[in-house]
Amino acid sequence: MKTNRYITLLLVIFALLTLLTVAHLCYAVYAYEHCSIIYFIAKELW
Amino acid sequence: MNKKLLYQIGSILLICAFFLSLNGGMYLIFTGRLSNNFSSAAQAKMIDVSKYLPHEEDSELPTIAADLPLKGDLPVLDGAAALVPVYAAIIHNVYPEGSVSYEGGVFSDDNFYGENFAPDSKMQYKNTVRGFEAVVNGETDLFFSAAPSAEQRQYAKDRGVELVYVPVGLEAFVFFVNEQNPVNGLTVEQIRDIYQGKCTNWSEVGGVNRPINPVSRLRGSGSQSAMDAFIGSYDPANKSPFALFGASIGFSFRYYMDGIVGNQAVKMLALNGVYPSEENIQNGSYPFIAEFYAVYRADTQNENIPLLINWILSPDGQRLIEECGYVAMKESEPT
């Protein structure tokens, strides 16, 4: 793979995965504010 | 395959593995535990309204020999999720059959709040925040809830509406943790310190070395208003972001937790060494007992409301409250 093409591909993959992670975080914040706290605590990992 | 290509593929795979681990870890520790209230399936877990439908054969509502002949305009009843069994039982025992109706003719829990009561139904379920607004705006005649928040009182005041709050039963305000948490009780002072951010690790209160995540509710919900009254003003956001990954403590009303949700993976904590049992609530030894109220507009013209209130406070009405799983007012308190 040519270097330019590799860097472009790398940046596109990185940007996509970062966007997905940000979306995951936004969902988590929103859902945390509206979740059932009984189930949140019941599912805690010990 | 040359070395350069292997390096390029390896680096791409490494980036993918990093993000996969990051998101997978977040899901396992945090996101996977979030059952939200805006899906009807999760809402049904908050309270399965279908179990508490008046005049239905398979209803779990208690039946007593009630003698209260209501005539004319029957009051529309609504309330907090935790009090659905109470006001549904009142309708079940006092109102005539046909008082409760559903959009489409059949009960369905596919709607936003897990119910589809018709606009002319005498039973509604809007839960605390929307239900309080409904009683202020005159859509609901009698609303059952914990003590309203300062914002809710202000909401009524801003609209020039005076409300009457009649205590009709008692309920314990409880704190709970995961069943695996070794802590079984806390003092009132420790609870205050935890929620005010002064105590941040379970090891400080006899537990394991793990951060405490003090969980709060939506502002305006019945349990959050009770919590505010209990510990005074506090900022729910005043905690370390790492607390989210610690072991949580939450609060609710006893019957909602124990009787309605009944999740065995959480346990209620003793407060000052007193467990929130029915006996300890009624004898007053449990330190945090809250009254719950029937709320109506002072300017109501519905002549059935005083009749209904008097009946709820009568021995028959208080027996019904107890049979719903709550605690009756002390004998001297009914008027």
Side-chain angles (χ1 to χ4, degrees):
Chain A
M1 200 185 311
K2 286 180 184 172
T3 304
N4 279 349
R5 195 174 169 194
Y6 163 68
I7 290 173
T8 307
L9 184 65
L10 204 62
L11 286 174
V12 167
I13 289 173
F14 188 84
L16 274 176
L17 292 176
T18 303
L19 273 176
L20 281 173
T21 305
V22 169
H24 185 174
L25 274 172
C26 291
Y27 169 76
V29 169
Y30 180 64
Y32 181 67
E33 287 173 358
H34 294 82
C35 76
S36 156
I37 65 173
I38 296 174
Y39 284 87
F40 179 73
I41 294 176
K43 290 178 189 170
E44 202 163 77
L45 293 178
W46 276 83
Chain B
M1 199 177 289
N2 64 39
K3 203 173 173 181
K4 183 183 171 190
L5 187 60
L6 276 176
Y7 167 79
Q8 290 173 335
I9 293 172
S11 58
I12 288 171
L13 287 177
L14 198 64
I15 285 177
C16 291
F18 169 76
F19 278 99
L20 190 67
S21 313
L22 182 68
N23 284 276
M26 268 170 52
Y27 181 82
L28 274 178
I29 296 170
F30 193 72
T31 321
R33 295 162 58 197
L34 304 172
S35 294
N36 60 52
N37 294 350
F38 33 83
S39 81
S40 57
Q43 186 66 34
K45 290 177 191 167
M46 279 184 72
I47 179 165
D48 186 354
V49 181
S50 67
K51 288 193 216 168
Y52 306 104
L53 298 178
H55 310 131
E56 297 288 338
E57 273 183 24
D58 55 351
S59 170
E60 294 186 8
L61 295 168
T63 302
I64 64 166
D67 182 22
L68 178 66
L70 297 176
K71 291 176 186 170
D73 188 16
L74 296 173
V76 174
L77 308 192
D78 197 345
L83 293 170
V84 167
V86 171
Y87 70 87
I90 292 169
I91 294 174
H92 181 65
N93 284 279
V94 174
Y95 283 34
E97 285 198 33
S99 307
V100 179
S101 53
Y102 311 101
E103 286 171 344
V106 181
F107 176 79
S108 159
D109 61 3
D110 287 340
N111 291 358
F112 182 84
Y113 262 85
E115 46 73 28
N116 67 331
F117 294 105
D120 62 347
S121 171
K122 300 303 177 190
M123 177 174 173
Q124 297 288 333
Y125 171 50
K126 297 189 177 73
N127 211 341
T128 304
V129 176
R130 293 189 311 150
F132 189 87
E133 291 175 7
V135 74
V136 170
N137 298 332
E139 298 157 28
T140 292
D141 296 307
L142 201 52
F143 181 68
F144 293 78
S145 77
S149 65
E151 289 83 1
Q152 285 164 336
R153 287 181 188 274
Q154 189 62 41
Y155 179 85
K157 196 177 172 187
D158 289 347
R159 283 152 185 80
V161 174
E162 187 187 342
L163 295 172
V164 180
Y165 303 87
V166 182
V168 294
L170 302 174
E171 181 57 318
F173 191 68
V174 299
F175 293 87
F176 61 92
V177 294
N178 186 281
E179 196 263 332
Q180 301 289 321
N181 191 323
V183 172
N184 291 314
L186 293 168
T187 65
V188 170
E189 207 50 48
Q190 285 171 329
I191 294 274
R192 286 205 176 94
D193 286 349
I194 286 170
Y195 275 90
Q196 289 173 347
K198 296 174 192 166
C199 175
T200 57
N201 195 294
W202 283 104
S203 62
E204 297 171 50
V205 291
V208 296
N209 181 18
R210 196 166 165 181
I212 301 176
N213 179 25
V215 183
S216 293
R217 303 294 303 276
L218 280 176
R219 188 64 59 190
S221 68
S223 50
Q224 185 61 52
S225 300
M227 183 62 178
D228 291 342
F230 179 46
I231 70 163
S233 63
Y234 76 100
D235 179 6
N238 179 26
K239 61 181 177 184
S240 156
F242 296 108
L244 290 176
F245 304 103
S248 306
I249 177 171
F251 52 79
S252 187
F253 289 100
R254 181 194 65 103
Y255 184 67
Y256 180 69
M257 256 208 70
D258 204 27
I260 296 179
V261 177
N263 193 312
Q264 300 302 311
V266 293
K267 64 180 179 185
M268 293 187 284
L269 297 176
L271 270 192
N272 292 350
V274 182
Y275 189 75
S277 64
E278 199 170 313
E279 183 189 359
N280 289 337
I281 297 167
Q282 196 151 36
N283 68 24
S285 58
Y286 184 74
F288 192 16
I289 296 168
E291 293 171 329
F292 59 89
Y293 300 85
V295 185
Y296 60 94
R297 285 175 63 130
D299 62 357
T300 182
Q301 300 298 311
N302 192 314
E303 60 189 19
N304 285 318
I305 286 185
L307 294 175
L308 203 50
I309 293 287
N310 284 339
W311 183 83
I312 295 168
L313 294 174
S314 73
D316 277 351
Q318 291 293 291
R319 186 156 60 86
L320 185 64
I321 298 267
E322 285 189 322
E323 293 205 11
C324 289
Y326 293 83
V327 178
M329 300 292 290
K330 291 169 191 165
E331 279 182 23
S332 58
E333 285 175 277
T335 53

